Amino acid sequence: MADGTLPRVSSYPPSSPAQPTTLRQRLAGLRGPAVPPRPLDARALAALAANPGCGRRALLDGAGVDKTALATALGSPASFGQSQFAIVRGNSFEAKVKGDGGAELLRLVHAHLAPTAEPPGSAGAGARVPDLTAAGPEGRAARTALALREATAAGRDTGAWTLLDHPMLALEVAGSPAYLEPDAVVVHPDGRWTVVEIKSFPMIDGAADAAKVGAAARQAAVYVLALEKTAGKLPGAEVGHTVLLVCPKDFSNLPTASPVDIRRERSVTRRQLDRLTRVEELAAALPEGLSFDPATRTAEQLVEAVSAVDAAYAPECLAACELAFHCRDRARAADQVTALGRSVRGELGALTTVEAALAAAAGTGCAEDPTAAALHRAARLRAEALDLAAARPPHHSPETPACPC
């Protein structure tokens, strides 16, 4: 200094610029910092893929929000789900199928999907059941990938079959990782990987309920997509597009199986998942401080938070989403035509409310809109048909002549 004094040095460290909030921190704030993320399963992913236009479900699932607790706090609890008895029965049947080192399960896979290969357990074709335990879902997914690599190599070298019991698979969904756990994956001696779905609903006379089989096929398609990511990095590995559905036979507890071709479900699911808006884009559009944590927010605050994310309600959501009843009430209150179904919504085009559709049918809508013109014409034709039916005299059948006997 000019006066000979030393410059004063602050004892505090220099302030650093504020660090940007990461996506992980943002999602943790949405569900509540003390709330662990709820993992995505294949059933939830299949339901999400069935309605890719719903940003609300994509964000809540990507953030790991407990939608059941959120729906209850909103006053519209979900009324579906498996009963405890069904869960116990399913676990018991699965344990029976996988008993004795998975001998019965491998026998069914061999009989239905690879009858020309050496059967599991025969000389030179012993079955392997590797240990897949590891710390956390990331560790288990890495251990599963290593086991698949080893099983593929062992199949080519020794002709061995491998059964992976509850492997962990990773799949990126809307920019967020999802960890999936199929019932089983079987690695054939030729390097082919087969997904096995074990269900507790019966297969009577070789056929099961079509709706339940369809749901199982959509769920298995998600597993196949996740497996394909790993198989793409391993030479000689191939993911089969035919999965094996294992169910109780008739009214017994004996396992039987049926192959299910899931190529259509796989294509649809992949296309729909690719259409999902990325989670970071949805989260970036929300105001700071918004949270879906029922423990720290009132019902009114939760309603406001949920309303900040666009939804695409359809009646099919009632069988697949915990928030469906809340979304249905909001859609009805807003007079949205989505409450009438996706097919009706698609036919009405720019007419997004029931009031606008009725106005178009009455002829008071926009005359330039072809949808409104078609509705008005249909309403006129219906009215003319009703008037014609009312003006037509009633038709009386001739009296039956009296019996001569």
Side-chain angles (χ1 to χ4, degrees):
M1 303 282 290
D3 58 359
T5 60
L6 295 175
R8 180 173 296 177
V9 180
S10 174
S11 60
Y12 295 97
S15 59
S16 58
Q19 296 296 321
T21 303
T22 65
L23 177 61
R24 186 184 294 270
Q25 293 171 332
R26 181 69 169 129
L27 297 182
L30 290 176
R31 67 174 177 269
V35 180
R38 191 172 185 85
L40 271 173
D41 57 14
R43 186 172 305 189
L45 279 183
L48 184 59
N51 191 7
C54 186
R56 182 176 297 172
R57 172 150 195 168
L59 177 67
L60 295 176
D61 283 345
V65 175
D66 186 347
K67 297 194 299 298
T68 300
L70 179 59
T72 302
L74 290 170
S76 303
S79 60
F80 65 89
Q82 279 190 309
S83 66
Q84 192 63 33
F85 173 75
I87 294 174
V88 171
R89 182 182 59 187
N91 292 339
S92 175
F93 179 70
E94 181 177 339
K96 179 181 179 64
V97 172
K98 294 180 178 177
D100 194 19
E104 180 63 16
L105 189 151
L106 290 169
R107 184 191 69 79
L108 291 171
V109 172
H110 174 264
H112 289 277
L113 298 179
T116 59
E118 283 291 328
S122 62
R128 303 168 64 252
V129 185
D131 182 13
L132 302 178
T133 55
E138 296 91 344
R140 289 186 59 199
R143 180 67 188 91
T144 296
L146 178 60
L148 286 168
R149 180 187 299 271
E150 295 172 346
T152 304
R156 290 197 305 264
D157 296 341
T158 65
W161 291 74
T162 301
L163 169 63
L164 276 64
D165 186 7
H166 283 288
M168 184 66 71
L169 309 175
L171 180 66
E172 184 176 306
V173 179
S176 180
Y179 294 96
L180 313 169
E181 189 177 4
D183 294 329
V185 172
V186 173
V187 180
H188 300 238
D190 60 0
R192 183 158 43 102
W193 303 351
T194 293
V195 172
V196 179
E197 277 288 277
I198 303 174
K199 299 298 184 182
S200 60
F201 54 82
M203 192 175 294
I204 301 175
D205 292 334
D209 181 85
K212 295 180 179 179
V213 173
R218 291 188 293 271
Q219 187 174 338
V222 177
Y223 298 137
V224 168
L225 288 174
L227 276 175
E228 287 178 341
K229 299 292 184 181
T230 305
K233 305 173 184 177
L234 300 179
E238 176 191 357
V239 182
H241 292 160
T242 298
V243 304
L244 193 68
L245 178 62
V246 180
C247 300
K249 182 179 181 181
D250 297 328
F251 301 101
S252 68
N253 201 34
L254 299 175
T256 187
S258 175
V260 180
D261 189 334
I262 53 94
R263 282 177 293 183
R264 183 179 66 85
E265 288 80 5
R266 170 192 165 278
S267 298
V268 171
T269 302
R270 183 180 62 179
R271 183 170 63 251
Q272 299 291 63
L273 290 179
D274 289 342
R275 288 178 53 198
L276 289 174
T277 306
R278 297 181 68 85
V279 172
E280 54 262 40
E281 297 178 18
L282 296 169
L286 300 178
E288 288 293 331
L290 185 141
S291 175
F292 302 102
D293 184 8
T296 61
R297 296 293 189 271
T298 63
E300 292 75 13
Q301 291 173 324
L302 291 175
V303 170
E304 183 179 356
V306 170
S307 300
V309 191
D310 291 335
Y313 170 76
E316 295 86 350
C317 296
L318 294 173
C321 183
E322 295 84 347
L323 287 179
F325 293 97
H326 173 79
C327 296
R328 182 184 64 178
D329 293 342
R330 292 289 159 171
R332 288 176 173 176
D335 201 33
Q336 296 175 354
V337 296
T338 53
L340 304 178
R342 291 196 184 100
S343 60
V344 176
R345 174 68 186 89
E347 292 289 342
L348 292 179
L351 303 175
T352 58
T353 65
V354 175
E355 182 180 0
L358 293 176
T364 59
C366 178
E368 291 77 15
D369 186 356
T371 303
L375 270 179
H376 183 44
R377 181 173 182 273
R380 290 202 321 268
L381 291 176
R382 178 179 181 274
E384 291 174 5
L386 292 176
D387 291 342
L388 183 62
R392 182 177 300 170
H395 176 71
H396 297 286
S397 58
E399 294 185 1
T400 304
C403 180
C405 60

